[in-house]
Amino acid sequence: MVLLYNFFARKRAAESAEGQPGKPGPEVPGTGDGRSHVFVYGTLRRGFSNHRFLTGARFVGPGRTAESHGLYLEDGIPYLAAGEGRYPVVGEVYAVDAAILAGLDELEEHPRVYARRPAAIVLDDGRRLVAWAYFADEPRGAPLASGDFADARGASPRRGPDDPGGAAPR
Ligand code: PCA
């Protein structure tokens, strides 16, 4: 009974952290159930090379950044550049536990290559929330014409074996 109660209490907490249509979400990227929300816009997205790092994560929904940013591409790898005002950047939100988040930080070389910072997100169904996103303070390559990595010619379906930032199977 208590277990069941805890299950529903956690579920409610997660849902309330996932925002409401047109309303601003919470200020921190937590879900209220001990997990964190993360917004992914590049190789971590479904169908791309690093998606397996989200194994065990709960998919919350597709969305985009509430603010306009820049999205750069070099060698098939995208870089989110804050404050460039080009376009909202398209991606997906997941609820992740501390172990998954630590794995993502390692993969993205936070805070050296990508810095994980909160971003305001609007889900496609209209809900608004705040999620972690991997920003690049020194974006590499050239800006894309759209904020959707999937539109990019040369969006890498997988990281090459000699890419030092690549995701070796482990
Ligand atoms: N992986 C992270 C940041 C850029 C990348 O390729 C992501 O998908 O959000």
Side-chain angles (χ1 to χ4, degrees):
M1 211 40 199
V2 170
L3 276 178
L4 208 61
Y5 173 78
N6 283 337
F7 172 80
F8 284 109
R10 271 205 298 276
K11 190 161 178 289
R12 262 199 316 279
E15 282 162 1
S16 73
E18 274 156 29
Q20 286 173 25
K23 296 234 182 88
E27 301 288 306
V28 294
T31 64
D33 63 353
R35 295 195 146 209
S36 302
H37 284 133
V38 60
F39 170 80
V40 302
Y41 59 88
T43 57
L44 288 167
R45 283 170 63 178
R46 220 173 240 182
F48 293 97
S49 58
N50 286 328
H51 186 64
R52 66 182 178 282
F53 285 87
L54 288 169
T55 301
R58 179 169 56 83
F59 178 62
V60 175
R64 60 198 63 223
T65 57
E67 297 182 4
S68 292
H69 299 296
L71 189 61
Y72 285 66
L73 188 75
E74 186 182 77
D75 295 336
I77 306 298
Y79 299 88
L80 175 60
E84 290 207 6
R86 290 180 190 273
Y87 30 57
V89 170
V90 171
E92 298 156 7
V93 173
Y94 292 84
V96 297
D97 64 20
I100 296 174
L101 194 61
L104 299 181
D105 282 353
E106 193 186 333
L107 173 71
E108 306 304 347
E109 296 178 69
H110 165 75
R112 200 175 62 76
V113 178
Y114 293 90
R116 176 164 56 80
R117 288 202 286 267
I121 304 299
V122 183
L123 297 175
D124 287 1
D125 65 14
R127 287 178 293 164
R128 302 174 79 93
L129 52 81
V130 175
W132 294 116
Y134 290 93
F135 287 92
D137 291 328
E138 292 172 36
R140 301 175 187 171
L144 291 172
S146 93
D148 189 347
F149 173 62
D151 289 346
R153 219 152 47 93
S156 157
R158 51 188 300 131
R159 280 185 172 175
D162 53 9
D163 175 359
R170 44 183 181 171

